């Protein structure tokens, strides 16, 4: 997915009235692309890495500052960062011997929008408890 852009229906084109995940079923291709992003987020190490990058003052962090936070080898951390980058969640830039990472908020915004109820849609009522 590194060169592909995941498009959330209705996100980029105001004239596109196709609903998000909570309003209508996803098309097969949308589900495949979305699953790749969620798979990247489905690992605790990658989720922590994303959080560390996203919350960093200045908007970017050196890999040299990420690695010591984990009891993992540097190649393992690099592998996790590569998966986040391929999912379109982060970007990287090499500066000398170090690589700096930053969040791509466009993707997190898209994920949030596809999981958000459309404006005005009421939450579903809680199911009634079955009598015991």
């Amino acid at each position: 997915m590194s060169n592909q852009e995941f498009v959330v229906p209705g996100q980029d084109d105001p004239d596109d009235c196709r609903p998000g995940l909570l309003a209508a079923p996803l098309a097969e291709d949308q589900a495949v692309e979305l699953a790749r992003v969620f798979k990247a987020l489905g690992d605790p190490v990658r989720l922590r890495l994303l959080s560390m990058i996203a919350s960093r003052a200045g908007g970017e962090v050196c890999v040299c500052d990420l690695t010591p936070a984990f009891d993992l080898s540097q190649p393992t951390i690099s592998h996790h960062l590569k998966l986040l980058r391929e999912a379109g969640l982060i970007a990287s830039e090499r500066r000398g011997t170090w690589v700096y990472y930053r969040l791509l908020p466009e993707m997190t915004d898209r994920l949030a929008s596809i999981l958000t109820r459309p404006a005005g849609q009421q939450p579903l009522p809680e199911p009634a408890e079955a009598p015991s």
Side-chain angles (χ1 to χ4, degrees):
M1 199 170 114
S2 57
N3 292 329
Q4 297 178 3
E5 181 177 332
F6 175 69
V7 177
V8 173
Q11 177 72 22
D12 296 322
D13 183 0
D15 296 326
D16 184 355
C17 60
R18 293 176 292 167
L21 178 71
L22 299 181
L26 291 172
E28 184 177 350
D29 60 333
Q30 293 172 317
V32 168
E33 293 302 315
L34 186 58
R36 287 182 186 155
V37 178
F38 281 119
K39 185 175 180 180
L41 291 172
D43 181 272
V45 171
R46 290 192 289 272
L47 202 50
R48 283 187 60 209
L49 283 166
L50 185 68
S51 175
M52 292 172 72
I53 294 166
S55 63
R56 184 64 170 229
E60 66 180 17
V61 61
C62 178
V63 69
C64 63
D65 295 325
L66 295 171
T67 305
F70 298 89
D71 190 24
L72 298 169
S73 68
Q74 184 277 325
T76 300
I77 296 296
S78 291
H79 173 73
H80 284 295
L81 290 165
K82 175 185 171 192
L83 294 175
L84 290 171
R85 196 175 62 249
E86 288 175 348
L89 292 159
I90 61 173
S92 63
E93 179 183 339
R94 179 169 293 282
R95 297 181 196 154
T97 59
W98 298 111
V99 178
Y100 288 78
Y101 292 90
R102 63 181 168 82
L103 178 73
L104 293 176
E106 300 84 11
M107 180 58 79
T108 54
D109 290 348
R110 287 183 180 132
L111 292 175
S113 71
I114 200 164
L115 294 173
T116 301
R117 281 192 318 264
Q121 181 181 353
Q122 297 297 316
L124 295 174
E126 291 289 322
E129 289 188 31
S132 26

